[in-house]
């Protein structure tokens, strides 16, 4: 159906922009073909992307954005279920951003290599958005839980904003080292978006509850790791992207989250084959966590509270709360006293500090709560209450390490 026939103004506007974006793709591909011999060979040095798809092999192929027209046509009848039409507004904004970036007439395109980089970035976005929305549509989540859909698509919004801001920084940069750090941060974000997409497609389902989606939180990973890379290149002697990325604490934390989420999926698969039920049920809040945890870097008490919420819902509530399915007394494989330090830690941090007041109850109870809280900080490697960003980042790293070990122990016992 042509976009002119839509009555919904948001959909019509989106389809108009989508058509314009395809025209921009055609123009960009033409310019790449004309100047292909002048492309800087550094462009092909991105092995992180090779494992995900064939995006690098044929950038002059037909854009898959035409698939959005069919998707949006199917969604047109559901638009009334979203009172503020946030999904359509967000999508329209993203398409407009990519259309602007792809215009070859802009001063930003000083070389065909730079244009080719932007085309690749846009195709990464297109691949991620298309695969996640297709899965969402098949499960009819647009009508069942539109707020959850907003959160599941948030990584694509974060990525679009990041790419746009990074190319603005590249235009203003006068340092080759900073240019290298900025370009590396773009390649890293491309890989992270594709990785998040793979994980989401494997876990997106109709939630096992009817909870509302989790509140809006800041996902600062791309910006934080970009700033880290800029600081690193000024003093490092690394000559390749992989070595540089390994020096970014934020990038390494995100990679560890990916391993944690993969371990949860593996634990669920093993328990389903044994007892025909999942150990960690994919509730609305767990699906939120899968979309947002890889992009969440705590920098203060508020954002650390968001991080702990995600861990709490993923590891505690989804596993049965007061009847935790991974404990032996409830048919699981872990001993409550010997193997539960990680679970009791996140529960205490949340319930006695971040989301509830420790100064509640009898005086003896209050003293015990603060003593327990102090013990939890020390267990995580901090001898005092976290105050500075570096303190919250340290707790973040420690908890991710404990989460990975916790799941590895479960999986090892499940398959032994």
């Amino acid at each position: 159906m042509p976009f002119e026939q839509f009555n919904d103004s948001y959909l019509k506007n989106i389809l108009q922009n989508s058509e314009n974006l395809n025209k921009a793709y055609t123009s960009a591909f033409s310019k790449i073909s004309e100047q292909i011999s002048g492309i800087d060979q550094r462009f092909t040095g991105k092995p992180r992307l090779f494992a995900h798809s064939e995006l690098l092999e044929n950038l002059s192929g037909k854009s898959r954005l035409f698939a959005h027209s069919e998707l949006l046509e199917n969604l047109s009848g559901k638009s009334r279920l979203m009172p503020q039409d946030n999904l359509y507004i967000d999508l329209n904004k993203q398409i407009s951003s990519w259309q602007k970036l792809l215009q070859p007439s802009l001063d930003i395109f000083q070389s065909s290599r730079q244009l080719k980089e932007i085309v690749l970035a846009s195709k990464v976005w297109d691949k991620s958005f298309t695969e996640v929305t297709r899965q969402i549509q098949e499960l009819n989540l647009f009508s069942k839980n539109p707020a959850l859909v907003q959160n599941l698509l948030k990584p694509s919004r974060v990525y679009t904003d990041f790419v746009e801001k990074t190319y603005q920084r590249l235009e203003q940069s006068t340092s080759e080292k900073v240019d290298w750090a900025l370009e590396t941060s773009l390649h890293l974000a491309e890989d992270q978006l594709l990785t998040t997409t793979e994980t989401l497609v494997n876990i997106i389902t109709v939630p096992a509850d009817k909870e509302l989606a989790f509140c809006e939180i800041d996902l600062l990973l791309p910006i934080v790791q970009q700033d880290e890379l800029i600081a690193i290149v000024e003093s490092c002697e690394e000559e390749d992207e992989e070595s540089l990325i390994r020096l970014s604490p934020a990038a390494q934390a995100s990679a560890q989250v990916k391993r944690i989420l993969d371990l949860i999926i593996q634990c669920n698969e093993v328990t389903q084959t044994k007892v025909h039920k999942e150990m960690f049920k994919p509730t609305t809040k767990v699906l939120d966590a899968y979309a947002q945890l890889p992009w969440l870097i705590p920098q203060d008490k508020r954002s650390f509270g968001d991080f702990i919420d995600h861990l709490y819902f993923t590891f505690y509530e989804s596993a049965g709360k007061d009847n935790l399915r991974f404990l032996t007394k409830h048919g699981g494989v872990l001993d409550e006293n010997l193997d539960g330090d990680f679970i009791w830690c996140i529960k205490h941090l949340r319930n006695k500090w971040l989301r509830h007041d420790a100064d509640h109850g009898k005086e003896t109870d209050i003293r015990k709560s603060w003593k327990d809280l102090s013990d939890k900080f020390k267990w995580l490697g901090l001898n005092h209450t976290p105050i500075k960003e570096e303190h919250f980042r340290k707790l973040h790293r420690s908890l991710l390490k404990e989460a990975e070990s916790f799941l590895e122990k479960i999986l090892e016992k499940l398959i032994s």
Side-chain angles (χ1 to χ4, degrees):
M1 180 188 295
F3 66 84
E4 292 87 349
Q5 297 181 27
F6 275 100
N7 294 323
D8 189 297
S9 59
Y10 286 128
L11 289 171
K12 184 182 292 186
N13 204 9
I14 289 171
L15 290 174
Q16 173 72 74
N17 279 341
S18 182
E19 182 171 293
N20 291 338
L21 181 54
N22 276 289
K23 292 178 181 178
Y25 267 123
T26 301
S27 180
F29 294 144
S30 175
K31 185 167 183 177
I32 289 174
S33 298
E34 291 173 1
Q35 304 181 28
I36 192 72
S37 60
I39 293 178
D40 189 325
Q41 291 302 308
R42 284 185 299 164
F43 173 80
T44 60
K46 298 201 287 287
R48 296 179 67 82
L49 291 175
F50 292 161
H52 290 288
S53 66
E54 297 178 353
L55 288 174
L56 289 174
E57 294 184 7
N58 185 16
L59 290 179
S60 61
K62 181 180 179 181
S63 168
R64 296 186 304 112
L65 277 173
F66 285 115
H68 289 169
S69 297
E70 180 181 356
L71 171 65
L72 292 169
E73 185 172 344
N74 292 334
L75 290 177
S76 61
K78 301 181 178 66
S79 62
R80 303 299 179 267
L81 298 172
M82 303 178 191
Q84 298 180 350
D85 292 312
N86 288 331
L87 172 65
Y88 302 123
I89 294 172
D90 287 339
L91 176 57
N92 200 10
K93 180 182 177 182
Q94 289 182 67
I95 290 178
S96 297
S97 296
W98 288 111
Q99 180 186 345
K100 179 181 177 182
L101 283 168
L102 282 162
Q103 291 296 337
S105 59
L106 296 178
D107 293 338
I108 190 173
F109 297 129
Q110 299 175 352
S111 70
S112 55
R113 182 183 70 83
Q114 194 172 36
L115 175 57
K116 196 170 182 181
E117 291 273 13
I118 293 178
V119 172
L120 173 62
S122 68
K123 289 180 76 66
V124 168
W125 169 81
D126 178 36
K127 175 181 175 64
S128 173
F129 182 87
T130 301
E131 291 189 0
V132 174
T133 50
R134 181 180 293 119
Q135 185 79 357
I136 289 171
Q137 183 188 16
E138 289 177 358
L139 296 170
N140 200 24
L141 285 177
F142 288 104
S143 60
K144 292 179 179 178
N145 198 332
L148 173 61
V149 170
Q150 285 287 317
N151 286 348
L152 293 176
L153 292 175
K154 187 171 182 178
S156 70
R157 302 199 301 274
V158 172
Y159 174 74
T160 298
D161 290 342
F162 171 71
V163 172
E164 195 169 26
K165 292 174 182 176
T166 299
Y167 275 103
Q168 291 173 359
R169 295 186 75 171
L170 277 167
E171 282 187 289
Q172 300 167 2
S173 172
T174 58
S175 165
E176 289 188 5
K177 284 190 172 183
V178 172
D179 288 350
W180 182 41
L182 291 172
E183 291 182 1
T184 299
S185 72
L186 282 170
H187 304 160
L188 180 56
E190 290 166 1
D191 174 71
Q192 289 164 335
L193 182 63
L194 292 174
T195 296
T196 300
T197 300
E198 290 176 351
T199 302
L200 286 177
V201 168
N202 284 331
I203 195 177
I204 292 178
T205 185
V206 178
D209 64 331
K210 297 185 181 297
E211 291 277 346
L212 293 176
F214 199 46
C215 62
E216 186 79 6
I217 62 177
D218 295 328
L219 304 182
L220 302 177
L221 170 71
I223 294 295
V224 171
Q225 64 192 10
Q226 183 178 86
D227 290 341
E228 288 178 349
L229 292 172
I230 291 174
I232 292 168
V233 296
E234 296 295 341
S235 58
C236 80
E237 298 180 357
E238 304 297 338
E239 297 182 354
D240 64 274
E241 287 188 357
E242 286 297 312
S243 298
L244 181 61
I245 288 169
R246 282 194 290 270
L247 298 176
S248 165
Q252 298 311 305
S254 180
Q256 190 164 31
V257 171
K258 172 62 168 62
R259 294 194 296 272
I260 289 168
L261 299 183
D262 286 344
L263 283 168
I264 292 175
I265 292 175
Q266 291 172 3
C267 288
N268 278 343
E269 290 177 345
V270 174
T271 54
Q272 281 182 310
T273 58
K274 285 191 170 186
V275 296
H276 311 298
K277 63 181 180 181
E278 295 162 310
M279 179 173 288
F280 303 97
K281 291 187 177 298
T283 64
T284 298
K285 292 172 180 176
V286 170
L287 294 177
D288 275 343
Y290 265 73
Q292 301 190 61
L293 268 176
W295 301 77
L296 176 58
I297 301 294
Q299 296 185 299
D300 51 28
K301 186 175 180 179
R302 181 188 61 80
S303 55
F304 185 71
D306 294 332
F307 168 65
I308 290 295
D309 280 340
H310 280 321
L311 293 185
Y312 179 83
F313 296 134
T314 299
F315 287 94
Y316 187 76
E317 283 201 354
S318 77
K321 299 173 69 171
D322 296 331
N323 299 293
L324 295 169
R325 286 181 288 275
F326 47 72
L327 296 181
T328 53
K329 67 179 183 179
H330 300 303
V333 294
L334 296 186
D335 182 275
E336 180 177 2
N337 297 316
L338 299 177
D339 305 315
D341 287 347
F342 167 69
I343 289 297
W344 312 138
C345 180
I346 59 175
K347 183 180 179 182
H348 194 84
L349 289 175
R350 184 177 188 273
N351 293 344
K352 295 297 183 179
W353 181 49
L354 294 164
R355 300 309 182 208
H356 301 282
D357 190 358
D359 293 326
H360 181 73
K362 299 178 181 179
E363 184 176 347
T364 54
D365 294 335
I366 294 174
R367 285 200 301 268
K368 184 178 186 306
S369 293
W370 282 107
K371 172 63 168 58
D372 290 344
L373 188 59
S374 175
D375 291 341
K376 298 297 185 280
F377 289 144
K378 290 178 180 178
W379 185 67
L380 295 172
L382 200 65
N383 292 321
H384 53 79
T385 301
I387 301 296
K388 300 179 181 179
E389 177 183 345
E390 62 191 72
H391 303 152
F392 291 102
R393 293 287 298 274
K394 180 177 180 60
L395 293 179
H396 180 232
R397 291 192 298 271
S398 296
L399 281 166
L400 291 181
K401 179 181 178 181
E402 293 297 334
E404 186 174 6
S405 298
F406 177 78
L407 290 167
E408 287 175 342
K409 185 178 294 184
I410 291 178
L411 190 59
E412 180 181 356
K413 288 179 179 291
L414 283 173
I415 62 179
S416 61

